Amino acid sequence: MTTLLTTTSTPAAPPSPARRGKGPSRREGRVGWLFLAPTLVVLALFFVLPIGMALWVSVSDWTGNGSPFSSRVHFVGGDNYAALLTEPGLTQRNFATSIRNNGYFVLFVVPLQTALALFLAMVLNQRRLKGKQFFRTAFYFPTVTSSVAISVVFLFLFSSTGTVNAALKLFGVDGPSWFADPRGVFQIVLNGLGVPKNPAALTSHGFLGLTWWDWLSGPSVAMCSIIVLVVWTTTGGFMLMFYAALQNLPPGIDEAALIDGANGWQRFWRVTLPQLRPTLFLVLTLGLIGTWQVFDQIYVLSRGAPANTTLTPAYLSYSTSFIGKEWGQGSAIAFLLFLVIVVLTLVQRWLLKEKDGKRRSRR
Amino acid sequence: MKRRGYLRWVGLGVLLLVAVAYIYPFLIQLATAFKTDADATAHPLTPWPHEWSVAVFSTLAQQDFPRWALNSIFISVTITVGRVVFNSMAGYALARLRFRGRSAVFGAIVAVLAVPSVVLLIPKFLVLNQFGMYDTYAAMIIPLLADASGVFIMKQFFESVPLSVEEAARIDGAGPLRTFWSVVLPMSKPALITMTILAFQGSWNELPHYIVSRQDPALNTLTTGVASLVSGELGQGNQFPLKLAAALLMTVPVAIVYFVFSKRFTRGTYEGVDK
């Protein structure tokens, strides 16, 4: 009887066999399942079941008519995946292009949003700064507003007669027509340095149907404006995470370093940043997962145009299925994207882990 | 010491510059909504209209805009109520009730949390289609009624509530249902408000799910409606004042919620995240 009482009143204790099947615990069990039921039903029907169905569609030749389980739908094995990965053609080229575009997008957005968020959080954390509430509101507000609404605003800002170009003109610069410019920024720079357009050494060979020159293009001018847009909208949220972590740091360590004569830069790299490691890891992971899924902005702003340079796997998966009616391929793209995210998250985890073990300073 | 003072000024300067960059687009949006097409093209940089015009608002009123707004309100309110109820029930069960399989369920919910939502776009359509729910309000609402992250937040919160109060209720003979309803929930107001805000903001701003769960224009929400407006459904010209006015109007409810609950808003997003 005493064991029964103590186990029910301490939540952290593992359920002991003595409690099971008797008195309050059985009642708790029933209520527990009752409480979980609506959530579990929704998650099972609209998260677990769909994944199974889509796995089947990705290895079938379903065309979107009727049920994917009817007898007219056949198992085609890895055909859909092969069309994306090993068979030269338009399908493969589009897929490779979308991976390249999104790769550059991630490469630019994740470091920029993380560094800017950390910087803003550090400045906000200054004890003597006035108007913290104002700055927090200003930086965070874009994060909570609709991505559709913000994309519309940026469509205007970056239009050829828009605000950004008007501002550039004040400095005597003729801005490009952002969303119509498919040139890769690395290629622009290389051309500017005297490298010829389409150098033969790089255009004669390639990978996944794209030449090396295409792989090295950098984000297109159009993609750059989407990069600016996404950094602008995501920084606020990550800034608050860093800010919360900074506020929770014990002040003593920083003061000790100050007394030991460490300058601001040293204190940041050697004292503050190591303590922020868990938050940094979280921000990088969320950033990586989020940027590989960019969809809303693409859907509203460009739908892959110009010249497929803003095409991303998420949008390609959508358009292949819903517009092209190639459901098997669309699902296959979704699973490959899933794979990319999982692999990169694991790699990142592994990269950051080694040092993590040494100085794991949990509060 | 001198260098630090200098750095502080640089920091403050950059901070102000960034603040301008964050606020200016909204000022431009607000001003352009009251500009004429010609004015918007001629003076894209000025955050005030040279000649005021409210023509675009009456154009929007004659278009399907009111219908989109009503759909958005209906769908978001339903989803918000559902999420608050279901997430807090599930969160409480996972935090406080002891029963077999609980940790397995929690593991499953964390696993769902890890699946990228974009990967689920086609799958969700497949299931909605299979159930014959495609192109209905139900298809737009039901899949969003529970969300793993909401359950997670509520669980974290309930775990932080001191046990003593519940124990007292239990000793007085209240069962788990009654304890939850008359003791725990009334104490959980902050968490419930946070959940309400997050659920409303999330469902109001949702786009991909509303794209794949319907195609009937009558079921357009503000997000899908404005997106189609931008892609030129209205035809000729840039019509930036019109588009920006539509975007402005769909921002207003979230902005009000944000400025009223600003503190909660910022707290809610990293609740349970600070590991």
Side-chain angles (χ1 to χ4, degrees), chain A residues 22-245:
Chain A
K22 259 193 198 162
S25 63
R26 186 196 268 171
R27 186 145 144 229
E28 272 189 29
R30 253 183 293 145
V31 175
W33 285 109
L34 183 79
F35 273 23
L36 283 171
T39 302
L40 289 183
V41 169
V42 170
L43 293 184
L45 286 183
F46 298 105
F47 287 86
V48 182
L49 180 66
I51 293 176
M53 257 180 101
L55 258 181
W56 159 244
V57 169
S58 80
V59 292
S60 80
D61 61 356
W62 187 56
T63 54
N65 294 322
S67 161
F69 300 115
S70 80
S71 56
R72 281 175 295 128
V73 179
H74 307 102
F75 177 73
V76 296
D79 281 9
N80 290 316
Y81 292 91
L84 295 165
L85 296 175
T86 57
E87 288 164 19
L90 186 64
T91 309
Q92 189 195 45
R93 208 158 55 240
N94 283 344
F95 179 66
T97 307
S98 76
I99 293 284
R100 175 201 66 184
N101 297 339
N102 214 338
Y104 281 120
F105 180 78
V106 173
L107 206 63
F108 277 71
V109 171
V110 172
L112 280 176
Q113 71 187 9
T114 309
L116 187 58
L118 181 56
F119 170 79
L120 294 177
M122 294 285 295
V123 183
L124 278 190
N125 199 39
Q126 301 282 323
R127 233 167 299 156
R128 274 188 279 167
L129 181 75
K130 291 207 174 88
K132 276 180 197 177
Q133 184 60 40
F134 164 77
F135 286 116
R136 246 178 23 200
T137 306
F139 298 143
Y140 189 58
F141 188 57
T143 307
V144 299
T145 49
S146 148
S147 54
V148 174
I150 280 175
S151 297
V152 177
V153 175
F154 270 67
L155 190 69
F156 176 66
L157 296 181
F158 280 92
S159 71
S160 47
T161 58
T163 313
V164 171
N165 280 356
L168 286 177
K169 199 163 267 169
L170 296 181
F171 299 96
V173 181
D174 262 336
S177 51
W178 295 87
F179 287 116
D181 197 333
R183 292 176 300 157
V185 290
F186 290 179
Q187 286 178 349
I188 295 177
V189 171
L190 286 175
N191 290 152
L193 292 173
V195 177
K197 277 189 180 160
N198 310 322
L202 289 171
T203 46
S204 51
H205 298 285
F207 172 64
L208 280 180
L210 281 192
T211 66
W212 291 116
W213 179 245
D214 284 337
W215 279 108
L216 293 173
S217 65
S220 70
V221 174
M223 188 56 112
C224 285
S225 36
I226 299 181
I227 288 171
V228 173
L229 157 63
V230 171
V231 170
W232 186 76
T233 47
T234 49
T235 302
F238 293 138
M239 173 198 74
L240 285 181
M241 289 186 196
F242 280 127
Y243 184 69

